[in-house]
Amino acid sequence: MNIIGHFINGQIDTQSARTQAVYNPSTGAETGHVALASAATVEQAIKIASEAFPSWRDTPLIKRVRIMFRFKQLLEENSEKICQLIGQEHGKIAHDAMGELQRGIENVEYACAATEFLKGEFSKNVGPDIDSWSEFQALGVVAGITPFNFPVMVPLWMFPMALVCGNCFILKPSERDPSSTLFIAELLKQAGLPDGVFALINGDKEAVDTLLHDPRIQAVSFVGSTPIAEYIYATATANGKRCQALGGAKNHAIVMPDADLDNVVNSLLGAAFGSSGERCMALSVAVAIGDDVADQLIAKISTEMQKLKYGAYSDQNNDFGPLISSAHQAKVVAHIDSAEQQGAKIVVDGRHAKVKGYEQGFFVGPTLIDAVRADMSSYQQEIFGPVLQIIRVESMQAAMQLINEHEYGNGTCIYTRDGEAARYFSTHIQVGMVGINIPLPVPVSYHSFGGWKRSLFGDLSAYGPDGARFYTRRKTITQRWPAADVREKTQFAMPTLN
Ligand code: NAD
């Protein structure tokens, strides 16, 4: 049996009392078993990382950065293999996997700029002969827990930054598609990272709970669904840990009457159905201003949807692949059923998708639903499938109210040619990442990524400048070296320069 193990102390470890099946979602076939770490295995990795920490923290920054430069090169040299592994277990088509990897590599590139962003702050003569500076120190051993939908990119949001900042890192990736993540962990060793500084633990709740409760773990980054994000944030912070927990989403696009509908259709198709809708930034709701816009949009997009190709990850001609599991496929179908039962109109129906030669694959075809209302469960909950819902409203204000009242606030977009409307929208909308004629406004690596409301728990966003702050602790030092013959007077008032 193919056992997908852990990576601890620079070695693959496949010993495990418990395992879980891993599938190829394109064929529906079981391809291996992933080891599920016991608490003892996780504790062992934490012990090794704690011992590795002092010397890694004290390694000159430029040496830590050089390892990241080599790691970036290895990711590029091994890109085809990485995308193949993503495709096999996630189902993503190679061109989409390559996009994921490239976005991840950009986070490694940003981490390589640590000699700039970890310089700290210095002020000379803040008082007579007194200088003051702030430095950003490593936290210790930190952990990351990541979702199935970006098995390479989301881990790369976390550990390159944490490592260059001088921390040791324990990664707990998704148990549903672990092989690509395990492979990049091995590349870290090839890049020269000392054993013990980084560990990858495969597992489920037992492994996560061990990380959340162990006092040696200083900080936890989480990306996944909102109910789990809430649990992670509450537990980690109750145990005194720094935590950022990114959750789910419901991303709306407002289509204004002045928008160029052909462009809107082209960009909505990719943003709604790319990666089978399994993206936290997928655009899953189009809010049309007025019935004319809605009718035209539906006519154009439903025609274009007939041309979409979906199927096995290995066929580069496909636009998107299967869903992650048969359970998730059933959940997506149940959402479409519920929309229909609650009075919405299924314009294009992907529920009975069949792909020739891949009859057991976990496919749902592209689905378009009209006449969706805010009280429907398919609107309130995240579907995470290739389903685009249309809501009709009378005004931009009504559209914004709808978005602002939704419990999620990850991403949103407005399609318009009116600069005033776009500016008003970006200023007042209660969402963390906003696109103006951009359907997937995923910030580049030198900005930071994070939603509002129940899409992010914690004060800092992921990666970029916020990532550097999350993985370090500020220390501010004020110093004076008085001359040997200078005697200071006792001063009881709060020191000032007045
Ligand atoms: P998930 O919440 O099921 O799993 C995420 C991680 O949590 C996995 O490592 C999993 O093993 C672990 N986990 C699951 N159940 C747990 C439990 N009961 N206790 C402790 N740990 C547990 O999420 P998923 O299905 O893998 O990923 C999809 C979700 O992630 C979607 O909701 C999507 O919107 C979200 N997501 C958000 C972002 C973002 O940046 N906001 C990015 C990617 C994905």
Side-chain angles (χ1 to χ4, degrees):
M1 186 162 50
N2 168 29
I3 298 280
I4 303 150
H6 317 297
F7 185 76
I8 302 173
N9 211 10
Q11 307 286 333
I12 298 282
D13 170 2
T14 53
Q15 300 301 312
S16 183
R18 293 188 305 128
T19 63
Q20 178 176 315
V22 174
Y23 294 88
N24 176 343
S26 301
T27 61
E30 192 179 297
T31 52
H33 274 71
V34 62
L36 300 176
S38 64
T41 302
V42 179
E43 280 161 7
Q44 177 66 6
I46 299 173
K47 179 172 177 286
I48 292 166
S50 305
E51 287 163 5
F53 174 61
S55 103
W56 178 243
R57 175 198 58 201
D58 296 340
T59 300
L61 176 55
I62 193 70
K63 291 197 167 180
R64 298 201 299 258
V65 164
R66 279 184 195 142
I67 292 170
M68 280 307 136
F69 270 110
R70 284 197 288 274
F71 180 53
K72 166 191 145 67
Q73 202 177 344
L74 287 168
L75 289 170
E76 286 168 347
E77 286 168 11
N78 289 279
S79 60
E80 280 188 18
K81 165 120 197 237
I82 295 167
C83 292
Q84 169 78 8
L85 290 170
I86 295 175
Q88 266 169 24
E89 292 179 358
H90 176 285
K92 224 173 255 198
I93 314 297
H95 51 71
D96 187 21
M98 205 54 96
E100 154 168 10
L101 174 60
Q102 180 55 32
R103 277 302 188 106
I105 287 173
E106 288 169 16
N107 284 277
V108 184
E109 289 168 339
Y110 186 74
C112 288
T115 46
E116 274 305 304
F117 62 68
L118 287 184
K119 265 180 178 162
E121 299 160 355
F122 183 86
S123 300
K124 200 169 172 72
N125 279 339
V126 295
D129 297 326
I130 300 175
D131 306 325
S132 187
W133 74 93
S134 292
E135 56 190 43
F136 295 92
Q137 297 191 346
L139 303 176
V141 183
V142 300
I145 299 153
T146 53
F148 82 83
N149 67 323
F150 287 108
V152 166
M153 182 185 79
V154 171
L156 290 176
W157 285 1
M158 299 177 180
F159 69 75
M161 172 63 81
L163 293 174
V164 291
C165 289
N167 302 285
C168 291
F169 198 92
I170 314 269
L171 175 65
K172 207 303 283 173
S174 173
E175 64 280 28
R176 290 192 269 178
D177 49 5
S179 293
S180 55
T181 328
L182 185 62
F183 180 69
I184 65 168
E186 293 181 82
L187 295 183
L188 268 180
K189 182 180 167 97
Q190 275 186 47
L193 191 74
D195 291 348
V197 169
F198 174 91
L200 182 153
I201 299 294
N202 277 308
D204 55 9
K205 187 168 167 53
E206 180 174 343
V208 172
D209 282 344
T210 308
L211 292 169
L212 294 176
H213 287 94
D214 193 296
R216 292 167 293 186
I217 297 289
Q218 303 299 315
V220 175
S221 312
F222 171 87
V223 176
S225 60
T226 288
I228 308 296
E230 270 182 308
Y231 167 74
I232 300 279
Y233 187 75
T235 313
T237 53
N239 288 326
K241 302 182 196 312
R242 187 178 283 195
C243 185
Q244 57 179 192
L246 282 69
K250 196 78 177 177
N251 305 314
H252 302 68
I254 298 184
V255 184
M256 296 285 279
D258 64 351
D260 176 335
L261 276 191
D262 291 322
N263 275 340
V264 171
V265 167
N266 286 341
S267 87
L268 267 182
L269 285 169
F273 305 119
S275 211
S276 214
E278 289 177 324
R279 291 180 180 143
C280 69
M281 291 293 274
L283 269 185
S284 51
V285 182
V287 189
I289 311 298
D291 283 333
D292 270 3
V293 174
D295 292 341
Q296 283 183 57
L297 180 66
I298 287 167
K300 282 178 188 283
I301 204 162
S302 53
T303 306
E304 293 303 313
M305 281 170 69
Q306 309 303 331
K307 301 177 196 161
L308 293 180
K309 292 198 188 108
Y310 59 94
Y313 80 92
S314 45
D315 183 346
Q316 280 281 9
N317 294 317
N318 285 328
D319 297 309
F320 64 89
L323 293 163
I324 185 68
S325 65
S326 59
H328 189 53
Q329 178 191 29
K331 191 175 143 202
V332 171
V333 168
H335 274 299
I336 304 169
D337 291 345
S338 87
E340 189 172 42
Q341 282 150 16
Q342 292 173 11
K345 187 175 161 212
I346 314 296
V347 183
V348 181
D349 192 346
R351 282 176 288 190
H352 309 289
K354 278 277 171 268
V355 177
K356 200 162 175 290
Y358 296 89
E359 284 76 10
Q360 303 307 313
F362 310 139
F363 295 100
V364 171
T367 299
L368 183 66
I369 311 182
D370 186 18
V372 172
R373 295 186 318 268
D375 61 335
M376 293 178 175
S377 50
S378 67
Y379 173 73
Q380 289 163 356
Q381 295 166 25
E382 184 179 40
I383 298 179
F384 226 53
V387 181
L388 177 63
Q389 302 191 84
I390 309 283
I391 295 204
R392 295 162 180 250
V393 297
E394 285 310 312
S395 66
M396 177 177 157
Q397 285 296 351
M400 286 179 64
Q401 188 178 345
L402 195 67
I403 298 171
N404 287 344
E405 286 175 358
H406 204 285
E407 64 171 334
Y408 295 127
N410 216 39
T412 188
C413 151
I414 187 167
Y415 289 106
T416 184
R417 295 187 161 275
D418 180 343
E420 188 186 347
R423 191 166 188 276
Y424 182 86
F425 174 75
S426 66
T427 305
H428 296 286
I429 203 72
Q430 300 295 306
V431 172
M433 293 171 282
V434 177
I436 295 166
N437 299 315
I438 298 283
L440 292 178
V442 178
V444 292
S445 64
Y446 38 102
H447 287 258
S448 295
F449 181 109
W452 286 13
K453 300 187 276 187
R454 281 163 54 76
S455 292
L456 187 149
F457 304 89
D459 302 317
L460 291 169
S461 292
Y463 68 73
D466 272 18
R469 288 288 174 269
F470 182 79
Y471 288 119
T472 56
R473 190 172 282 156
R474 176 188 286 265
K475 183 178 279 180
T476 304
I477 298 139
T478 306
Q479 75 171 10
R480 168 159 61 191
W481 295 103
D485 57 348
V486 172
R487 283 290 162 273
E488 291 175 41
K489 286 189 186 145
T490 306
Q491 195 182 343
F492 291 99
M494 186 69 191
T496 69
L497 286 183
N498 290 332

